[in-house]
Amino acid sequence: GDLILALDGQSVQGLSLNDAVDRMRGPPNSHITLQIKREGVDKPIELSMTREIIKIQVVKDHLETGDIAYIRLTGFNEQTDSGLRKAFEQLRKQSGDHLHGLVLDLRNNPGGLLDQAVAVSDDFIDHGEIVSTRARNPDDSQRWDAKGGDMTAGLPMVVLINNGSASASEIVAGALQDHHRAVLMGTRSFG
């Protein structure tokens, strides 16, 4: 909920989002000062930061109550599907092969690569359409179908979404809901 007012003392008013992001980026170990407005705080807050290369861990996981697999996907990049499969296998082993359910957390997931959304959906759906596009010219329409095989062997599944769940995460949530593979919980997604 914070609003960025200035970067290194220069107002961001009139800048596009891309221009503001370009100004925030810089070489590792260089410094930047942000002036932000926070709801409920009268005066703007100044934050000094050191830039670094950020490595995003897109898959986070743990066991809940010893037998519920919890997997959070924070985005859809080249490693999402393989990371999801690896995390599920580790949690399955950790539980002694006695998992009773899966929570897939897609809250605040802004999306990413379409092929990864299709692959993640395919990990849980045996057959049928995952997502499709329809164009005026039928030759330009596309369809992605599940290739078969639910890696969880039908474990009960809940998908968590909120208004920060967008794009590829909406494709996954929608496909799992449409195939009656998972129950969606949370709030309306971004789109």
Side-chain angles (χ1 to χ4, degrees):
D2 290 342
L3 295 174
I4 298 173
L5 302 176
L7 303 170
D8 284 334
Q10 294 183 332
S11 174
V12 296
Q13 191 169 3
L15 288 180
S16 71
L17 178 60
N18 286 339
D19 289 339
V21 168
D22 285 344
R23 284 194 186 173
M24 283 186 257
R25 288 189 172 132
N29 298 318
S30 62
H31 299 281
I32 186 169
T33 301
L34 305 181
Q35 186 182 67
I36 62 169
K37 171 70 177 131
R38 182 166 291 162
E39 193 174 321
V41 178
D42 292 338
K43 291 183 178 178
I45 300 168
E46 296 242 338
L47 297 173
S48 292
M49 299 182 190
T50 303
R51 295 178 177 102
E52 292 183 30
I53 295 174
I54 300 169
K55 292 177 177 68
I56 299 172
Q57 181 185 353
V58 295
V59 180
K60 298 174 182 173
D61 62 88
H62 66 268
L63 278 179
E64 287 283 335
T65 65
D67 60 359
I68 304 293
Y70 170 91
I71 301 176
R72 175 171 169 73
L73 302 181
T74 60
F76 287 85
N77 68 15
E78 295 85 354
Q79 289 85 38
T80 301
D81 183 51
S82 59
L84 168 70
R85 290 174 160 276
K86 184 177 172 186
F88 181 77
E89 191 56 33
Q90 286 176 327
L91 292 174
R92 190 183 62 73
K93 286 178 184 173
Q94 229 178 308
S95 74
D97 228 355
H98 291 10
L99 287 176
H100 287 106
L102 168 65
V103 175
L104 182 63
D105 191 347
L106 300 177
R107 291 175 297 177
N108 298 313
N109 180 323
L113 301 175
L114 174 62
D115 67 319
Q116 290 293 301
V118 170
V120 166
S121 300
D122 197 7
D123 289 340
F124 305 107
I125 299 172
D126 284 323
H127 61 278
E129 182 179 321
I130 293 172
V131 66
S132 62
T133 61
R134 290 175 184 83
R136 287 187 184 139
N137 180 353
D139 292 338
D140 294 332
S141 296
Q142 292 181 289
R143 177 180 165 134
W144 290 266
D145 291 314
K147 294 175 179 63
D150 177 354
M151 73 176 182
T152 71
L155 274 180
M157 190 171 169
V158 170
V159 176
L160 304 179
I161 61 169
N162 66 6
N163 65 350
S165 306
S167 186
S169 57
E170 291 173 304
I171 289 171
V172 172
L176 296 177
Q177 182 180 48
D178 288 351
H179 285 272
H180 306 286
R181 180 58 193 89
V183 173
L184 266 56
M185 293 184 74
T187 58
R188 185 180 295 274
S189 66
F190 180 81

